[in-house]
Amino acid sequence: KQEVTQIPAALSVPEGENLVLNCSFTDSAIYNLQWFRQDPGKGLTSLLLIQSSQREQTSGRLNASLDKSSGRSTLYIAASQPGDSATYLCAVPYLSGGYNKLIFGAGTRLAVHP
Amino acid sequence: GAGVSQSPSNKVTEKGKDVELRCDPISGHTALYWYRQSLGQGLEFLIYFQGNSAPDKSGLPSDRFSAERTGGSVSTLTIQRTQQEDSAVYLCASSLYGQGDEQFFGPGTRLTVL
């Protein structure tokens, strides 16, 4: 059974810091891994999808890396801004039913203060 | 283009009443998913549609929950005889093909059962 864990659960930093959010999964036979952002009271916004054959994926100030063998992914946020404050979730598709069920971590709640 | 839309955005109902939640996926997306987000359980998969059929209903918590999709587009999630433990945010997502491709989420429907 696939389980996804995110560390830390919460993070509060001053503006401008570079951040690393961690995601680990128990079954390394993943198809891909998706990082999402969720603002309070809102739905999920897809940030990055990294395929199992990729080592990393970049979008602007965001960089996601993937190490399948160790069951880990990290989301790196460069030069953090108050607008980055949100909950960040990682998810992997579960093999059952053809990878159509996303298994989510509990998220990292990020607060960036001016 | 338009993203995934859901209605209503908020729904307050009395215990024992039936509710219907609607999801409009991104045009052209063949796969549609329902998830539930509650404080105690995080994000949980409910059901997956490919076209109008639902090959994976494994996440539906009880027989009070049902869903349908018509015309390969709009989906309705119905909860009969609502209970207080049904209170949660219900999120819909769609993807182009299914089978592990990137899922795009709607803003969710917040359901409160009094």
Side-chain angles (χ1 to χ4, degrees), chain A residues 7-18:
Chain A
I7 294 173
L11 189 59
S12 180
V13 300
E15 182 176 6
E17 280 204 5
N18 299 323

Side-chain angles (χ1 to χ4, degrees), chain A residues 32 34 38 46 99-100 102, chain B residues 33 35 37 99-100 102-103:
Chain A
N32 57 44
Q34 201 165 351
Q38 186 174 33
S46 179
Y99 296 110
N100 287 301
L102 284 179
Chain B
Y33 317 80
Y35 294 86
Q37 186 173 32
Q99 297 180 351
E102 189 173 6
Q103 295 187 21

Side-chain angles (χ1 to χ4, degrees), chain A residues 72-94:
Chain A
R72 286 186 292 191
S73 176
T74 59
L75 180 66
Y76 178 82
I77 303 175
S80 59
Q81 302 171 358
D84 295 330
S85 298
T87 296
Y88 291 81
L89 296 147
C90 66
V92 295
Y94 191 48

